[in-house]
Amino acid sequence: MTAIGARTRVGGLALAGVGVLVAESPEAVRRAWRELPPTVSLVILTAEAAEVLEAEPAATTEPDPSRPLIVVMPR
């Protein structure tokens, strides 16, 4: 399980054992998504990170068994 987004939104998840990838800019979000290990089965995205990835054709948030399950945090 991994979370991607701004430090203030995802930092606390590390206390629950979630891997945290701090991404403060759109490019950092894209990089974090591209570099996810293949073993990650669940990704928690901040709403802002999800918006960045929606514009990426290779990072669609639609269900697909070959990609991790995606959960988007509310604003």
Side-chain angles (χ1 to χ4, degrees):
M1 184 175 352
T2 300
I4 300 173
R7 182 180 311 276
T8 57
R9 297 293 314 264
V10 299
L13 294 172
L15 296 172
V18 176
V20 171
L21 299 175
V22 174
E24 302 282 348
S25 69
E27 183 51 41
V29 170
R30 289 184 203 99
R31 184 174 42 255
W33 179 262
R34 284 190 308 266
E35 296 174 359
L36 279 174
T39 56
V40 172
S41 58
L42 174 67
V43 178
I44 303 167
L45 298 172
T46 61
E48 296 78 12
E51 287 174 1
V52 169
L53 294 177
E54 284 176 1
E56 296 293 310
T60 181
T61 56
E62 297 198 18
D64 180 331
S66 67
R67 288 192 304 268
L69 178 64
I70 298 168
V71 176
V72 179
M73 298 170 64
R75 289 194 186 271

